[in-house]
Amino acid sequence: MKKKDTYFVVGISTEVGKTIVSAILTEALEADYWKPIQSGDLENSDTDKVRRLISNTRTVFHPNSYALHTPASPHLSAELDGIRIELSKIVRPETDNHLVIEAAGGLFVPLNEDDTMLDLLRPTDKIVLVSRHYLGSINHTLLTYEALKHRGLDVYGIVFSGTPNPSTESFILHKTQLPVLLHIDEEPYFDKNVIAEYAGKFGN
């Protein structure tokens, strides 16, 4: 049986397109999907969004380890819910399929007083770095990349989202030597057809 991989989608900040990238990967690989921590918007969570965006019937959506009510940093959202996030309770789902894991926010988003999102990543993960073009994104992208390397984690590749910026992209690629997995344009909307189109481009 061919080895199944775990893809961990991380971003350089919040609202950079991790959920869209996760949907594209999930569709391209017909993988399972899991978001360990959801903060706020529980009636329209990122899991719900990915479920609406994919077309295949093989994907299994695994429940959040923590579903928190306030749209805030996980440590604060948990505190407002009267709980503490424990790493030991964030248990990866068992599956015979590929697994796409979506991070919440950036790498150093706090989960409690000690741990951050970075502590959930493993050396065996295929880390997909999502970079969105905005003023400051070069700095944020390179800092994120350096933090991953410092932790001994390899980045599988980078996804650029937003209006293309060749100058920004060329500098980031020169400094990181990362392969580009995908370019995602500033689309007017994302639906199943758009996600399927990008899924067909993934890795090509």
Side-chain angles (χ1 to χ4, degrees):
M1 180 180 294
K2 186 177 180 182
K3 176 182 177 291
K4 300 300 183 180
D5 294 309
T6 296
Y7 296 79
F8 210 124
V9 179
V10 303
I12 64 171
S13 183
T14 189
E15 300 298 329
V16 295
K18 294 187 301 295
T19 301
I20 293 299
V21 172
S22 296
I24 292 168
L25 262 64
T26 299
E27 180 66 12
L29 302 167
E30 296 190 345
D32 286 7
Y33 170 89
W34 180 52
K35 180 150 187 171
I37 302 170
Q38 174 72 38
S39 294
D41 207 10
L42 298 184
E43 299 302 315
N44 184 33
S45 69
D46 290 336
T47 302
D48 295 323
K49 293 171 186 174
V50 174
R51 184 182 286 112
R52 288 197 301 268
L53 287 170
I54 68 165
S55 305
N56 84 85
T57 57
R58 186 182 178 193
T59 296
V60 174
F61 292 90
H62 299 277
N64 311 120
S65 294
Y66 288 92
L68 308 168
H69 290 86
T70 304
S73 175
H75 80 301
L76 174 59
S77 187
E79 182 181 330
L80 294 172
D81 279 3
I83 60 175
R84 180 183 188 275
I85 293 174
E86 304 282 352
L87 289 188
S88 62
K89 294 182 180 179
I90 303 177
V91 180
R92 295 190 179 194
E94 294 186 8
T95 178
D96 293 327
N97 195 6
H98 295 298
L99 178 64
V100 173
I101 303 176
E102 182 183 348
L107 286 184
F108 288 103
V109 164
L111 307 182
N112 50 46
E113 66 275 13
D114 297 312
D115 304 308
T116 69
M117 186 62 57
L118 182 56
D119 295 305
L120 298 183
L121 278 72
R122 298 178 182 175
T124 53
D125 292 337
K126 290 191 170 182
I127 299 171
V128 176
L129 177 58
V130 183
S131 177
R132 182 171 180 81
H133 296 311
Y134 56 81
L135 187 62
S137 67
I138 295 175
N139 183 52
H140 293 165
T141 303
L142 296 182
L143 284 172
T144 301
Y145 173 78
E146 291 294 337
L148 290 165
K149 298 298 288 184
H150 180 73
R151 191 65 71 95
L153 299 167
D154 290 322
V155 182
Y156 178 64
I158 191 167
V159 175
F160 289 110
S161 70
T163 303
N165 189 322
S167 177
T168 292
E169 293 176 21
S170 64
F171 186 81
I172 289 170
L173 296 177
H174 171 68
K175 295 293 286 185
T176 64
Q177 297 298 302
L178 288 175
V180 178
L181 302 175
L182 204 61
H183 285 86
I184 301 175
D185 293 329
E186 199 72 59
E187 302 286 352
Y189 61 87
F190 287 95
D191 61 11
K192 288 185 177 183
N193 292 331
V194 176
I195 293 299
E197 183 177 344
Y198 276 109
K201 299 176 183 177
F202 174 70
N204 295 328

